[in-house]
């Protein structure tokens, strides 16, 4: 992966000296430059660099204002910025560090010192990037069911609450589908739990493929899955549920499951309704509809007893 540095200074000779020094040690693949903070910020917005070296005193926009602009945006705050100054002023340096600078280099600078300070900031950035990736992975793992790669029940609880609050605030419908694999215990008993996991993963794939980008698909527990459908009426929820039922019925499996035919039963509930005032009652209404689907022969969709108000 290529990396880049942006050098911002109103002096052509200083920019040339800095870039030549860094090129001599091959620290970067791309070297960009700007004459002042305004052009520098435009350059950052067009393509985010891995490191910025910025003069403190420049026409039109100085280094302090440039720091403020960069740190006003969340997507730019992780870029290390080394400030350049021709003055040995302790208060100026403290102010720059407080406003987001990572380090200072005093002009005229020693080439070895500049390279060393740049190397330190690149190493820190690399560690921060690795930490960010690790944190994102941990977050994904904490919210995801390891078998099906759908959201887990923990994430669902939080997300459903947020969607219900949003639906109430904007007076929108919110449908909730819960589905259960019919006679799944027999699948595990006949084919074993490993093949049972294959069935679960296949149905999770159907559920995932059938959702819109803002719908929420989750494994609710065991052989139960749910879909949260923002902005969807009861009729719309029933339509989605029927499509899922048909799609699951047509799944074909590889040996030793080639003769297996799987069906699902589904229950649908929708907010707003006189029977629903929170996420627990929404889930309960869908669960009761699912129970009726099983009682009425399975491989079918049932809706909540009372339609939305």
């Amino acid at each position: 992966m290529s990396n880049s540095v942006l050098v911002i200074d109103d002096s052509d000779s200083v920019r040339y000296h800095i870039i030549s020094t860094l090129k001599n040690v091959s620290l970067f693949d791309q070297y960009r430059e700007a004459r002042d903070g305004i052009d520098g910020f435009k350059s950052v917005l067009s393509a985010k660099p891995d490191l910025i070296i910025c003069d403190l005193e420049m026409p039109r926009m100085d280094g302090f204002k440039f720091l403020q602009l960069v740190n006003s945006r969340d997507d730019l705050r992780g870029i290390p910025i080394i400030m350049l100054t021709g003055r040995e002023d302790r208060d100026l340096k403290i102010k720059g560090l407080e406003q987001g600078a990572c380090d200072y280099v005093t002009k005229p600078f020693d080439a070895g010192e500049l390279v060393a300070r740049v190397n330190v900031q690149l190493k820190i950035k690399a560690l921060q990037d690795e930490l960010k990736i690790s944190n994102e992975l941990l977050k994904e793992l904490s919210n995801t069911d390891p078998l099906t790669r759908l959201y887990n029940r923990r994430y669902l609880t939080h997300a459903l609450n947020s969607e219900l609050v949003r639906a109430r605030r904007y007076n929108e419908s919110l449908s909730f589908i819960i589905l259960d694999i019919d006679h799944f215990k027999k699948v595990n008993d006949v084919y074993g739990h490993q093949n049972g996991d294959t069935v679960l993963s296949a149905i999770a794939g159907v559920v995932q493929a059938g959702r819109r980008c803002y719908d929420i698909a989750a494994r609710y527990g065991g052989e139960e899955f749910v879909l949260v459908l923002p902005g969807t009426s009861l009729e719309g929820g029933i339509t989605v549920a029927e499509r899922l039922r048909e799609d699951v019925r047509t799944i074909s499996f590889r040996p030793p499951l080639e003769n297996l035919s799987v069906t699902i039963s589904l229950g649908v509930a929708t907010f707003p309704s006189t029977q629903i005032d929170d996420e627990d009652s929404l889930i309960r209404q869908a669960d009761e509809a699912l129970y009726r689907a099983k009682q009425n022969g399975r491989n079918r969709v049932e809706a909540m007893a009372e339609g939305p108000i």
Side-chain angles (χ1 to χ4, degrees), residues 2-47:
S2 63
N3 59 352
S4 63
V5 60
L6 171 63
V7 180
I8 309 172
D9 197 293
D10 58 314
S11 169
D12 293 342
S13 61
V14 170
R15 293 198 311 275
Y16 175 80
H17 187 21
I18 292 172
I19 291 174
S20 298
T21 299
L22 298 178
K23 281 184 175 180
N24 286 337
V25 291
S26 303
L27 281 180
F28 298 94
D29 301 309
Q30 299 177 15
Y31 298 84
R32 292 151 49 199
E33 53 186 298
R35 292 179 178 274
D36 57 44
I38 294 177
D39 291 340
F41 190 65
K42 290 178 181 178
S43 178
V44 172
L45 292 178
S46 65

Side-chain angles (χ1 to χ4, degrees), residues 170-197:
Y170 295 106
N171 194 28
E172 294 181 349
S173 297
L174 176 69
S175 285
F176 183 86
I177 300 173
I178 183 168
L179 67 91
D180 184 88
I181 305 173
D182 297 329
H183 305 296
F184 184 69
K185 184 177 183 302
K186 290 183 180 179
V187 176
N188 281 332
D189 291 344
V190 174
Y191 297 98
H193 285 82
Q194 187 171 0
N195 286 311
D197 287 348

Side-chain angles (χ1 to χ4, degrees), residues 14 47 92 95 114 129 135 150 174 178 192 225 242 261 293 299 307:
V14 170
L92 279 179
K95 181 180 178 182
L114 175 66
D129 290 344
N135 287 339
L150 299 179
L174 176 69
I178 183 168
F225 300 86
E242 285 287 2
S261 179
N299 187 26

Side-chain angles (χ1 to χ4, degrees), residues 142-182:
S142 69
N143 291 331
T144 306
D145 175 64
L147 173 65
T148 64
R149 308 309 299 167
L150 299 179
Y151 287 121
N152 57 25
R153 189 165 180 168
R154 173 181 174 273
Y155 178 86
L156 171 71
T157 301
H158 171 75
L160 182 57
N161 176 268
S162 298
E163 288 297 335
L164 198 58
V165 168
R166 195 176 77 84
R168 183 178 287 111
R169 178 183 301 163
Y170 295 106
N171 194 28
E172 294 181 349
S173 297
L174 176 69
S175 285
F176 183 86
I177 300 173
I178 183 168
L179 67 91
D180 184 88
I181 305 173
D182 297 329

Side-chain angles (χ1 to χ4, degrees), residues 10 21 35 42 52 76 85 110 117 120-121 138 211 221 231 247 250 278 281:
D10 58 314
T21 299
R35 292 179 178 274
K42 290 178 181 178
I52 299 170
L76 302 180
T85 179
D110 177 79
R117 291 183 182 275
V120 168
Q121 294 306 321
L138 286 173
R211 73 178 185 87
D247 289 346
T250 60
D278 58 17
S281 55

Side-chain angles (χ1 to χ4, degrees), residues 8-304:
I8 309 172
D9 197 293
D10 58 314
S11 169
D12 293 342
S13 61
V14 170
R15 293 198 311 275
Y16 175 80
H17 187 21
I18 292 172
I19 291 174
S20 298
T21 299
L22 298 178
K23 281 184 175 180
N24 286 337
V25 291
S26 303
L27 281 180
F28 298 94
D29 301 309
Q30 299 177 15
Y31 298 84
R32 292 151 49 199
E33 53 186 298
R35 292 179 178 274
D36 57 44
I38 294 177
D39 291 340
F41 190 65
K42 290 178 181 178
S43 178
V44 172
L45 292 178
S46 65
K48 189 164 64 172
D50 293 280
L51 183 136
I52 299 170
I53 300 175
C54 181
D55 191 19
L56 184 60
E57 298 176 88
M58 297 177 292
R60 297 207 302 168
M61 180 186 291
D62 64 16
F64 290 129
K65 183 60 178 178
F66 175 79
L67 281 171
Q68 292 173 8
L69 283 176
V70 170
N71 286 288
S72 67
R73 295 176 56 111
D74 291 338
D75 58 326
L76 302 180
R77 287 179 186 170
I79 304 174
I81 302 176
I82 297 176
M83 301 304 295
L84 295 171
T85 179
R87 293 192 287 168
E88 284 287 355
D89 190 318
R90 177 177 172 273
D91 292 336
L92 279 179
K93 291 182 178 180
I94 291 175
K95 181 180 178 182
L97 294 170
E98 289 177 343
Q99 291 190 4
C102 296
D103 201 354
Y104 262 95
V105 172
T106 303
K107 298 186 289 185
F109 59 85
D110 177 79
E113 179 186 358
L114 175 66
V115 169
R117 291 183 182 275
V118 168
N119 265 318
V120 168
Q121 294 306 321
L122 289 177
K123 289 177 182 178
I124 293 174
K125 183 178 185 297
L127 291 172
Q128 290 175 336
D129 290 344
E130 289 177 8
L131 181 61
K132 183 179 179 180
I133 293 172
S134 296
N135 287 339
E136 289 174 352
L137 179 60
L138 286 173
K139 182 179 179 180
E140 180 183 353
L141 290 173
S142 69
N143 291 331
T144 306
D145 175 64
L147 173 65
T148 64
R149 308 309 299 167
L150 299 179
Y151 287 121
N152 57 25
R153 189 165 180 168
R154 173 181 174 273
Y155 178 86
L156 171 71
T157 301
H158 171 75
L160 182 57
N161 176 268
S162 298
E163 288 297 335
L164 198 58
V165 168
R166 195 176 77 84
R168 183 178 287 111
R169 178 183 301 163
Y170 295 106
N171 194 28
E172 294 181 349
S173 297
L174 176 69
S175 285
F176 183 86
I177 300 173
I178 183 168
L179 67 91
D180 184 88
I181 305 173
D182 297 329
H183 305 296
F184 184 69
K185 184 177 183 302
K186 290 183 180 179
V187 176
N188 281 332
D189 291 344
V190 174
Y191 297 98
H193 285 82
Q194 187 171 0
N195 286 311
D197 287 348
T198 298
V199 173
L200 289 171
S201 296
I203 292 179
V206 170
V207 173
Q208 185 75 287
R211 73 178 185 87
R212 298 166 298 185
C213 62
Y214 50 83
D215 294 337
I216 300 167
R219 186 181 181 187
Y220 195 58
E223 64 269 27
E224 289 186 330
F225 300 86
V226 300
L227 265 174
V228 180
L229 308 174
T232 304
S233 65
L234 184 62
E235 292 76 14
I238 293 171
T239 299
V240 172
E242 285 287 2
R243 186 175 67 244
L244 283 173
R245 186 185 67 81
E246 285 294 333
D247 289 346
V248 168
R249 198 168 59 85
T250 60
I251 295 176
S252 59
F253 297 96
R254 295 179 179 179
L257 302 173
E258 68 271 23
N259 296 321
L260 178 66
S261 179
V262 177
T263 61
I264 58 174
S265 300
L266 307 96
V268 185
T270 301
F271 172 87
S273 166
T274 56
Q275 299 187 63
I276 297 172
D277 53 17
D278 58 17
E279 60 267 25
D280 290 335
S281 55
L282 178 62
I283 294 172
R284 183 169 60 252
Q285 288 296 320
D287 201 41
E288 290 176 0
L290 172 63
Y291 180 77
R292 288 196 303 275
K294 292 181 179 180
Q295 290 296 104
N296 291 334
R298 294 184 169 86
N299 187 26
R300 61 184 292 119
V301 175
E302 292 284 349
M304 58 189 291

